[in-house]
Amino acid sequence: MALSDFNKNREVKIKNYKEFIAQEKLKKPEWLKIKISPNRQTIKEVKNLLASNILSTVCEQACCPNLGECFNNKRATFLIMGNVCTRRCPFCDIAHGYPDPLDPDEPKRLAEAVKALKLKYVVITSVDRDDLKDGGASHFAECVQELKKQEGVKVEILVPDFRGRVERAIDELLSAPPDVFNHNIETVPRLYKEARPGGNYTHSLNLLRTWSERSPSIPTKSGIMVGLGETDEEVLEVMKDLREFGVSMLTIGQYLAPSKYHIPVKRYVSPETFSWFAEKAKEMGFLSCFSGPLIRSSYSALEQAQEASSLLSKKTERPQILHIASERASFCSLQCRASCSE
């Protein structure tokens, strides 16, 4: 595809593109400047390994700001079922269109890559596959089943909303249960029409609740982006909804527009506000909340899962969150996290 065609394809993601492009761009604050010196050879090795196994990562496809750090530590969030999405979310840089048929060999190639990277905690996510009768849930289950053949490997799945097929999808997922179930709520309900036109806030909440009710022993996790035009009060309301619907693990991070063809950043949230969100999460009873400018739903997923597991094992009357995000922890050079902890 020619670059001009690619940009035209991007442009259609925003209905009010001309209006957005005319807006004054906010200057990126100092706390969002990445300050790491990754080992380029290690990153190259990870990329070559992924390419040789014909695998995609959301790190690359979604232009994650933490890619250098994670690849440098031989970590990645695997993107299964192709890299073409059936939705057109204007905050996301993943291509949209009609995807290819599922690759039945992908679960085995994924397991081989995980073994080569010596991973013990694996996060797998996917594009939306509205073209499939179960939304791709059975393929998730096959991947989890293949990964679990390796001793000691734990798996977190970050799933789409399985629009119109929740019960069937969860039936499939429970045939090979993960260690953590994650579905991102993404933003506040007022902004769904603009930011997530193919999704539905209530539907996503119901998916999270259905999983937590049907599999209460497996933690339910969700993530929120801030900077799309929401208010702090609206974020707190979403957090309350998530707790009410059975979510015990939470991530909150800053939205960063992948390009001028995406929804522009409406505000940059300060590290102090992210710490405040973490404090509020603690008060609401979340087992874990990672909250910081560069936090993404699968960033430091292993550490967050360990923290939640530790708190659960203590069987306290009210789970307490162990760590609070500090300004220093907001930088990508460290593990940007606020843990009570996309």
Side-chain angles (χ1 to χ4, degrees), residues 12-26:
V12 298
K13 283 197 171 188
I14 300 182
K15 293 181 179 179
N16 300 321
Y17 170 72
K18 292 182 178 179
E19 177 185 334
F20 287 144
I21 203 68
Q23 292 179 7
E24 183 178 353
K25 300 300 181 291
L26 298 178

Side-chain angles (χ1 to χ4, degrees), residues 285-325:
F286 282 95
L287 279 175
S288 178
C289 174
F290 280 19
S291 177
L294 290 170
I295 290 295
R296 297 297 181 263
S297 57
S298 54
Y299 182 70
S300 294
L302 167 61
E303 290 76 12
Q304 186 173 21
Q306 288 174 333
E307 179 176 89
S309 176
S310 175
L311 288 168
L312 275 174
S313 66
K314 291 181 180 181
K315 296 182 180 179
T316 54
E317 185 177 37
R318 175 179 174 145
Q320 295 296 310
I321 300 172
L322 300 181
H323 306 289
I324 302 301

Side-chain angles (χ1 to χ4, degrees), residues 217-253:
S217 63
I218 297 175
T220 304
K221 178 178 174 180
S222 192
I224 305 170
M225 296 182 295
V226 292
L228 287 166
E230 74 296 318
T231 65
D232 291 345
E233 291 71 24
E234 286 178 308
V235 174
L236 294 182
E237 287 302 313
V238 172
M239 291 166 64
K240 291 175 184 177
D241 287 342
L242 291 173
R243 280 300 296 135
E244 182 180 343
F245 280 72
V247 175
S248 58
M249 298 171 66
L250 178 65
T251 57
I252 308 175

Side-chain angles (χ1 to χ4, degrees), residues 58 76 148 164:
V58 75
K148 290 283 190 174

Side-chain angles (χ1 to χ4, degrees), residues 14 28 43 50 88 95 112 134 142 158 178 180 203 218 227 235 250 265 282 288 313:
I14 300 182
K28 189 177 290 187
I43 293 175
L50 294 169
R88 292 183 177 183
E112 289 169 2
D134 66 355
E142 289 171 13
L158 173 55
V180 174
H203 176 87
I218 297 175
V235 174
L250 178 65
V265 176
K282 174 182 178 181
S288 178
S313 66

